[in-house]
Amino acid sequence: MDRRSFFMLPAAAVPALLTGQAGPAVQDPVEKDVPRTTPTIALNHLGFRPGVGRKMLVVRMTSANPPDRFLLRDIGSSNFRFIGDLTSTRGDLGPCLTADFTDLRREAIYQINVGDEHSVPFFIREDVWRRTLPKPVGYYRYQRCGVDVPGVHPICHLDDARRRDNGEHVNVVGGWHDAGDLRKWMDVTMLNAIALLNLVHNIANPRPGDPTHEQVLDEVWHGNRYFLKMQDTDGKIWHDTAGGVNGDNSDNHWTDNIVGTPDDRYINTRKIEEMGATFVTLQALVNQRFAASDSAYARLCLRAGLRAWNASARQGSTLALAWWTLAACELYRATFQTEYRNEAIRLGRDLMARQATAFLADQREIRGYWTEGKQPSEDPSAPPQVRPYFNVVFPAMPAYALLELHELFRDAPDRTRWNDAVRMHLDEYLIPISQRNPYGIIPSGLFVGQPTPETYRPLAGQLTYRYFMPVRKQFWWQGINSHLESCALLAARFAVLEKNAPGAGKQYADLAYRQLEWVMGANPFGACMMTGEGMRNPYPHSRFVGLIPGGIMNGIAGNAEDQPVLDEAYAIDWRTNEYWSPHVAYYLWSVSTLEMLA
Ligand SMILES: [Zn+2]
């Protein structure tokens, strides 16, 4: 048992653990369904842009005689109101009533009434998402490690860290604490910097009120000081600092800031392909964004990226191929050298070969999802199986990488194929599966059959799905905000590429916003999961610095029946309530991409 699970235990179970006796069976504190007292109105708490994205009202049906109309009124003016019809909708995640008021474009602050229940007030205004950006950008300042953050924490972890393999001290001070804890994972905190640099690209001309480029680049520079230190002499990238020895939580603590004392934390010197590829992507992006303001620093980062590039054969998992494709694209943008273009195109072909373009698993309804290629079966005598790609943090990276290729190499022979692959992924997988529930969210992934003893929803043939991660497979399961926001990013990017096409990519923008709306309150709990925005924010699992404005928690997870669960009772449950960097990164990246749609 690690420290995380220890902290989750009900107090009654603790004495038995401390004395080594078997305790009572522990009921997981969050594994219960939506409480009866929760609001029935599920509407995102920010509101809507006048002309981009659908405006959907979802009301959970909790009685046999549900209301059939809603009242919408402008709460800043007594004159404007209208009454609309509610339509009964049967789908996954419970019976609901829905209404579409997309045609309302009048800018104002509104409230909806259904029966005697009021919604959270919400805006229709063009900057309704954009005006939130300073908070999530500011989140990273709270998470800075190795410096004094006034009002948050004194200077910390100046003794980071000692190598796990040989005990040698290496200066890896800096970076960001990753979550509601003090650990410094590389993959997801590098994603922070990548998202911030994409924000600078997407909002090329900041307006008053936007995060400034100077502020964003200063944050990236802070993070990257640590990432550069995590490169070994062979060019490869170490896995994490303070992630914990043997999968435990033992490094998750403040230290005395003195090198060589027993509280020093550890560097995990393990090296994996995904980490190297993410590092190259980041350094090539840093090179481009800093070239004008600090050319020496930009060159230094590019050299570091090239060392990591040259240290790898660029193979591996579907996720590794996706990141290597992105890395090749960014190196080409930084250098214009043909070798990176050629390698990007080769990687794109490998990535396309991992897409299920045929109808697999005895069905003819769903295709276009990514797979891990042929994997050994659990039964050694059976032939290898093609398993759907499942990753709740990086689900959209394979398709996103193909969009980068499509945008960058406009005369490449594969260009149409890249676009077609992503269109199939969206039109024949993500959009149809999102229509199986009234909230429009995309389930966490596809499965073949029932891999673990819990509910898998039948889809077609042997294909099944769960909205939420399996909870009977392993200790690690959690809320799916990164999954939803990563899919939002992909759909947003595709909408931007299609904005001049007939229909203007409208369905893709709709898909993107509905994923983000779930995070911001349009969910069965009526809870906004970003601190400092919306209402009914559950208290985050943030055991060291408390509330962080702009922090986004892991989000709604599921129980064994795949019904939504969320800790609203201060159980400090990390699975649903812990802050985690990638949720903030994808929020900034996807919202700023959607700002490119006028
Ligand atoms: Zn620290």
mmCIF file of all heavy atoms in Angstrom, residues 160-166 168-172 226 229-230 238-243 245 251 265-270:
data_model
loop_
_atom_site.group_PDB
_atom_site.id
_atom_site.type_symbol
_atom_site.label_atom_id
_atom_site.label_comp_id
_atom_site.label_asym_id
_atom_site.label_seq_id
_atom_site.Cartn_x
_atom_site.Cartn_y
_atom_site.Cartn_z
ATOM 1 N N ASP A 160 17.188 18.579 -4.589
ATOM 2 C CA ASP A 160 16.855 17.597 -5.634
ATOM 3 C C ASP A 160 18.073 17.378 -6.514
ATOM 4 O O ASP A 160 18.596 18.371 -7.038
ATOM 5 C CB ASP A 160 15.698 18.108 -6.510
ATOM 6 C CG ASP A 160 14.323 17.777 -5.922
ATOM 7 O OD1 ASP A 160 14.241 17.028 -4.951
ATOM 8 O OD2 ASP A 160 13.341 18.288 -6.472
ATOM 9 N N ALA A 161 18.509 16.184 -6.751
ATOM 10 C CA ALA A 161 18.070 14.922 -6.169
ATOM 11 C C ALA A 161 19.233 13.934 -6.302
ATOM 12 O O ALA A 161 20.268 14.247 -6.881
ATOM 13 C CB ALA A 161 16.839 14.408 -6.882
ATOM 14 N N ARG A 162 19.040 12.721 -5.836
ATOM 15 C CA ARG A 162 20.087 11.691 -5.975
ATOM 16 C C ARG A 162 19.592 10.604 -6.916
ATOM 17 O O ARG A 162 18.410 10.275 -6.928
ATOM 18 C CB ARG A 162 20.457 11.095 -4.619
ATOM 19 C CG ARG A 162 19.257 10.633 -3.829
ATOM 20 C CD ARG A 162 19.637 10.149 -2.434
ATOM 21 N NE ARG A 162 18.490 10.297 -1.546
ATOM 22 C CZ ARG A 162 18.411 9.763 -0.332
ATOM 23 N NH1 ARG A 162 19.404 9.066 0.165
ATOM 24 N NH2 ARG A 162 17.335 9.957 0.411
ATOM 25 N N ARG A 163 20.496 10.064 -7.713
ATOM 26 C CA ARG A 163 20.114 9.028 -8.673
ATOM 27 C C ARG A 163 19.710 7.756 -7.932
ATOM 28 O O ARG A 163 20.384 7.335 -7.000
ATOM 29 C CB ARG A 163 21.286 8.710 -9.611
ATOM 30 C CG ARG A 163 21.661 9.846 -10.533
ATOM 31 C CD ARG A 163 22.898 9.502 -11.340
ATOM 32 N NE ARG A 163 22.701 8.301 -12.155
ATOM 33 C CZ ARG A 163 23.109 8.172 -13.419
ATOM 34 N NH1 ARG A 163 23.742 9.170 -14.020
ATOM 35 N NH2 ARG A 163 22.908 7.057 -14.073
ATOM 36 N N ARG A 164 18.650 7.161 -8.417
ATOM 37 C CA ARG A 164 18.206 5.908 -7.806
ATOM 38 C C ARG A 164 19.192 4.779 -8.045
ATOM 39 O O ARG A 164 19.346 3.894 -7.221
ATOM 40 C CB ARG A 164 16.878 5.490 -8.434
ATOM 41 C CG ARG A 164 15.704 5.653 -7.544
ATOM 42 C CD ARG A 164 14.548 4.895 -8.165
ATOM 43 N NE ARG A 164 13.393 5.748 -8.239
ATOM 44 C CZ ARG A 164 12.217 5.348 -8.723
ATOM 45 N NH1 ARG A 164 12.075 4.139 -9.201
ATOM 46 N NH2 ARG A 164 11.212 6.166 -8.747
ATOM 47 N N ASP A 165 19.871 4.824 -9.225
ATOM 48 C CA ASP A 165 20.708 3.671 -9.577
ATOM 49 C C ASP A 165 22.049 3.672 -8.847
ATOM 50 O O ASP A 165 22.543 2.628 -8.448
ATOM 51 C CB ASP A 165 20.912 3.603 -11.099
ATOM 52 C CG ASP A 165 21.395 4.919 -11.693
ATOM 53 O OD1 ASP A 165 21.483 5.932 -10.953
ATOM 54 O OD2 ASP A 165 21.694 4.944 -12.897
ATOM 55 N N ASN A 166 22.676 4.842 -8.652
ATOM 56 C CA ASN A 166 23.993 4.828 -8.021
ATOM 57 C C ASN A 166 24.123 5.805 -6.851
ATOM 58 O O ASN A 166 25.203 5.953 -6.277
ATOM 59 C CB ASN A 166 25.082 5.101 -9.072
ATOM 60 C CG ASN A 166 24.922 6.478 -9.719
ATOM 61 O OD1 ASN A 166 24.208 7.338 -9.201
ATOM 62 N ND2 ASN A 166 25.602 6.685 -10.841
ATOM 63 N N GLU A 168 24.306 8.935 -6.722
ATOM 64 C CA GLU A 168 25.045 10.169 -6.986
ATOM 65 C C GLU A 168 24.107 11.374 -7.014
ATOM 66 O O GLU A 168 23.024 11.305 -7.586
ATOM 67 C CB GLU A 168 25.742 10.011 -8.343
ATOM 68 C CG GLU A 168 26.580 11.191 -8.787
ATOM 69 C CD GLU A 168 26.983 11.047 -10.264
ATOM 70 O OE1 GLU A 168 27.138 9.894 -10.739
ATOM 71 O OE2 GLU A 168 27.129 12.080 -10.926
ATOM 72 N N HIS A 169 24.533 12.503 -6.434
ATOM 73 C CA HIS A 169 23.703 13.710 -6.475
ATOM 74 C C HIS A 169 23.847 14.398 -7.832
ATOM 75 O O HIS A 169 24.944 14.571 -8.345
ATOM 76 C CB HIS A 169 24.113 14.691 -5.378
ATOM 77 C CG HIS A 169 23.371 16.001 -5.477
ATOM 78 N ND1 HIS A 169 22.094 16.157 -5.004
ATOM 79 C CD2 HIS A 169 23.722 17.192 -6.041
ATOM 80 C CE1 HIS A 169 21.677 17.392 -5.255
ATOM 81 N NE2 HIS A 169 22.653 18.041 -5.885
ATOM 82 N N VAL A 170 22.714 14.794 -8.408
ATOM 83 C CA VAL A 170 22.689 15.585 -9.644
ATOM 84 C C VAL A 170 21.763 16.762 -9.394
ATOM 85 O O VAL A 170 20.682 16.590 -8.831
ATOM 86 C CB VAL A 170 22.141 14.749 -10.840
ATOM 87 C CG1 VAL A 170 22.168 15.591 -12.116
ATOM 88 C CG2 VAL A 170 22.930 13.471 -11.027
ATOM 89 N N ASN A 171 22.180 17.962 -9.788
ATOM 90 C CA ASN A 171 21.327 19.138 -9.594
ATOM 91 C C ASN A 171 20.174 19.122 -10.593
ATOM 92 O O ASN A 171 20.358 19.365 -11.780
ATOM 93 C CB ASN A 171 22.166 20.407 -9.779
ATOM 94 C CG ASN A 171 21.310 21.675 -9.699
ATOM 95 O OD1 ASN A 171 20.069 21.605 -9.612
ATOM 96 N ND2 ASN A 171 21.964 22.814 -9.721
ATOM 97 N N VAL A 172 18.981 18.796 -10.105
ATOM 98 C CA VAL A 172 17.767 18.869 -10.931
ATOM 99 C C VAL A 172 16.743 19.784 -10.243
ATOM 100 O O VAL A 172 15.542 19.519 -10.254
ATOM 101 C CB VAL A 172 17.178 17.469 -11.244
ATOM 102 C CG1 VAL A 172 18.093 16.696 -12.175
ATOM 103 C CG2 VAL A 172 16.910 16.680 -9.976
ATOM 104 N N TYR A 226 14.566 22.922 -15.620
ATOM 105 C CA TYR A 226 14.570 21.577 -15.019
ATOM 106 C C TYR A 226 14.642 20.492 -16.096
ATOM 107 O O TYR A 226 15.431 19.551 -16.002
ATOM 108 C CB TYR A 226 13.320 21.413 -14.157
ATOM 109 C CG TYR A 226 12.945 19.989 -13.803
ATOM 110 C CD1 TYR A 226 13.760 19.229 -12.954
ATOM 111 C CD2 TYR A 226 11.776 19.414 -14.296
ATOM 112 C CE1 TYR A 226 13.396 17.926 -12.625
ATOM 113 C CE2 TYR A 226 11.419 18.119 -13.964
ATOM 114 C CZ TYR A 226 12.236 17.372 -13.132
ATOM 115 O OH TYR A 226 11.881 16.088 -12.813
ATOM 116 N N LYS A 229 18.015 19.787 -17.374
ATOM 117 C CA LYS A 229 18.889 19.084 -16.415
ATOM 118 C C LYS A 229 18.607 17.591 -16.368
ATOM 119 O O LYS A 229 19.421 16.823 -15.847
ATOM 120 C CB LYS A 229 18.682 19.662 -15.009
ATOM 121 C CG LYS A 229 19.153 21.086 -14.826
ATOM 122 C CD LYS A 229 18.732 21.563 -13.425
ATOM 123 C CE LYS A 229 19.095 23.021 -13.203
ATOM 124 N NZ LYS A 229 18.566 23.495 -11.905
ATOM 125 N N MET A 230 17.435 17.180 -16.865
ATOM 126 C CA MET A 230 17.045 15.766 -16.796
ATOM 127 C C MET A 230 17.539 14.970 -18.007
ATOM 128 O O MET A 230 17.112 13.836 -18.220
ATOM 129 C CB MET A 230 15.529 15.644 -16.666
ATOM 130 C CG MET A 230 14.990 16.076 -15.307
ATOM 131 S SD MET A 230 15.420 14.947 -13.956
ATOM 132 C CE MET A 230 14.232 13.613 -14.235
ATOM 133 N N TRP A 238 15.740 11.229 -18.398
ATOM 134 C CA TRP A 238 15.313 10.482 -17.214
ATOM 135 C C TRP A 238 13.811 10.622 -17.004
ATOM 136 O O TRP A 238 13.201 11.589 -17.429
ATOM 137 C CB TRP A 238 16.059 10.994 -15.982
ATOM 138 C CG TRP A 238 17.518 10.631 -16.001
ATOM 139 C CD1 TRP A 238 18.060 9.467 -16.476
ATOM 140 C CD2 TRP A 238 18.602 11.440 -15.536
ATOM 141 N NE1 TRP A 238 19.431 9.500 -16.320
ATOM 142 C CE2 TRP A 238 19.792 10.692 -15.744
ATOM 143 C CE3 TRP A 238 18.706 12.695 -14.953
ATOM 144 C CZ2 TRP A 238 21.045 11.186 -15.398
ATOM 145 C CZ3 TRP A 238 19.944 13.187 -14.595
ATOM 146 C CH2 TRP A 238 21.098 12.426 -14.820
ATOM 147 N N HIS A 239 13.272 9.685 -16.261
ATOM 148 C CA HIS A 239 11.811 9.529 -16.183
ATOM 149 C C HIS A 239 11.121 10.526 -15.256
ATOM 150 O O HIS A 239 10.098 11.108 -15.596
ATOM 151 C CB HIS A 239 11.503 8.090 -15.738
ATOM 152 C CG HIS A 239 10.067 7.715 -15.840
ATOM 153 N ND1 HIS A 239 9.150 7.998 -14.844
ATOM 154 C CD2 HIS A 239 9.377 7.088 -16.815
ATOM 155 C CE1 HIS A 239 7.960 7.553 -15.218
ATOM 156 N NE2 HIS A 239 8.069 7.000 -16.407
ATOM 157 N N ASP A 240 11.670 10.728 -14.070
ATOM 158 C CA ASP A 240 11.019 11.636 -13.122
ATOM 159 C C ASP A 240 11.952 11.944 -11.971
ATOM 160 O O ASP A 240 12.969 11.280 -11.774
ATOM 161 C CB ASP A 240 9.708 11.015 -12.573
ATOM 162 C CG ASP A 240 9.948 9.760 -11.751
ATOM 163 O OD1 ASP A 240 10.395 9.879 -10.586
ATOM 164 O OD2 ASP A 240 9.699 8.649 -12.261
ATOM 165 N N THR A 241 11.586 12.954 -11.189
ATOM 166 C CA THR A 241 12.227 13.230 -9.913
ATOM 167 C C THR A 241 11.159 13.106 -8.837
ATOM 168 O O THR A 241 10.083 13.700 -8.965
ATOM 169 C CB THR A 241 12.812 14.654 -9.890
ATOM 170 O OG1 THR A 241 13.781 14.759 -10.923
ATOM 171 C CG2 THR A 241 13.452 14.966 -8.542
ATOM 172 N N ALA A 242 11.459 12.316 -7.832
ATOM 173 C CA ALA A 242 10.587 12.189 -6.649
ATOM 174 C C ALA A 242 9.290 11.454 -6.934
ATOM 175 O O ALA A 242 8.336 11.567 -6.179
ATOM 176 C CB ALA A 242 10.291 13.550 -6.026
ATOM 177 N N GLY A 243 9.250 10.716 -8.037
ATOM 178 C CA GLY A 243 8.052 9.941 -8.351
ATOM 179 C C GLY A 243 7.777 8.877 -7.311
ATOM 180 O O GLY A 243 6.649 8.390 -7.196
ATOM 181 N N VAL A 245 9.987 5.689 -4.870
ATOM 182 C CA VAL A 245 10.799 4.496 -5.098
ATOM 183 C C VAL A 245 9.874 3.285 -5.099
ATOM 184 O O VAL A 245 9.016 3.146 -4.234
ATOM 185 C CB VAL A 245 11.876 4.381 -3.998
ATOM 186 C CG1 VAL A 245 12.768 3.174 -4.246
ATOM 187 C CG2 VAL A 245 12.703 5.650 -3.954
ATOM 188 N N ASP A 251 8.744 9.844 -1.722
ATOM 189 C CA ASP A 251 9.464 11.094 -2.004
ATOM 190 C C ASP A 251 8.555 12.310 -2.003
ATOM 191 O O ASP A 251 8.992 13.409 -2.328
ATOM 192 C CB ASP A 251 10.140 11.006 -3.379
ATOM 193 C CG ASP A 251 11.578 10.505 -3.267
ATOM 194 O OD1 ASP A 251 12.059 10.321 -2.129
ATOM 195 O OD2 ASP A 251 12.209 10.314 -4.317
ATOM 196 N N ARG A 265 15.521 13.584 -2.186
ATOM 197 C CA ARG A 265 14.626 12.770 -3.018
ATOM 198 C C ARG A 265 15.431 12.103 -4.143
ATOM 199 O O ARG A 265 16.609 12.377 -4.331
ATOM 200 C CB ARG A 265 13.503 13.656 -3.567
ATOM 201 C CG ARG A 265 12.835 14.459 -2.434
ATOM 202 C CD ARG A 265 11.532 15.078 -2.824
ATOM 203 N NE ARG A 265 11.614 16.023 -3.931
ATOM 204 C CZ ARG A 265 10.539 16.576 -4.505
ATOM 205 N NH1 ARG A 265 9.330 16.272 -4.058
ATOM 206 N NH2 ARG A 265 10.666 17.431 -5.504
ATOM 207 N N TYR A 266 14.759 11.247 -4.891
ATOM 208 C CA TYR A 266 15.452 10.427 -5.892
ATOM 209 C C TYR A 266 15.088 10.808 -7.323
ATOM 210 O O TYR A 266 13.950 11.190 -7.613
ATOM 211 C CB TYR A 266 15.102 8.944 -5.699
ATOM 212 C CG TYR A 266 15.737 8.322 -4.485
ATOM 213 C CD1 TYR A 266 15.045 8.256 -3.277
ATOM 214 C CD2 TYR A 266 17.035 7.808 -4.552
ATOM 215 C CE1 TYR A 266 15.626 7.683 -2.156
ATOM 216 C CE2 TYR A 266 17.622 7.232 -3.427
ATOM 217 C CZ TYR A 266 16.909 7.178 -2.236
ATOM 218 O OH TYR A 266 17.497 6.616 -1.131
ATOM 219 N N ILE A 267 16.065 10.636 -8.223
ATOM 220 C CA ILE A 267 15.811 10.704 -9.669
ATOM 221 C C ILE A 267 15.596 9.283 -10.161
ATOM 222 O O ILE A 267 16.418 8.398 -9.897
ATOM 223 C CB ILE A 267 17.018 11.281 -10.431
ATOM 224 C CG1 ILE A 267 17.361 12.671 -9.933
ATOM 225 C CG2 ILE A 267 16.759 11.278 -11.935
ATOM 226 C CD1 ILE A 267 18.701 13.176 -10.449
ATOM 227 N N ASN A 268 14.515 9.070 -10.878
ATOM 228 C CA ASN A 268 14.297 7.782 -11.549
ATOM 229 C C ASN A 268 15.008 7.853 -12.896
ATOM 230 O O ASN A 268 14.587 8.583 -13.798
ATOM 231 C CB ASN A 268 12.792 7.551 -11.722
ATOM 232 C CG ASN A 268 12.494 6.237 -12.420
ATOM 233 O OD1 ASN A 268 13.398 5.519 -12.839
ATOM 234 N ND2 ASN A 268 11.219 5.932 -12.559
ATOM 235 N N THR A 269 16.098 7.106 -13.048
ATOM 236 C CA THR A 269 16.940 7.217 -14.244
ATOM 237 C C THR A 269 16.475 6.310 -15.388
ATOM 238 O O THR A 269 17.176 6.163 -16.383
ATOM 239 C CB THR A 269 18.414 6.882 -13.904
ATOM 240 O OG1 THR A 269 18.442 5.608 -13.252
ATOM 241 C CG2 THR A 269 19.003 7.935 -13.003
ATOM 242 N N ARG A 270 15.275 5.750 -15.257
ATOM 243 C CA ARG A 270 14.713 4.954 -16.341
ATOM 244 C C ARG A 270 14.509 5.837 -17.579
ATOM 245 O O ARG A 270 14.177 7.016 -17.456
ATOM 246 C CB ARG A 270 13.368 4.394 -15.862
ATOM 247 C CG ARG A 270 12.758 3.386 -16.758
ATOM 248 C CD ARG A 270 11.505 2.777 -16.083
ATOM 249 N NE ARG A 270 10.633 2.263 -17.104
ATOM 250 C CZ ARG A 270 9.346 2.541 -17.226
ATOM 251 N NH1 ARG A 270 8.758 3.304 -16.331
ATOM 252 N NH2 ARG A 270 8.641 2.044 -18.200
#
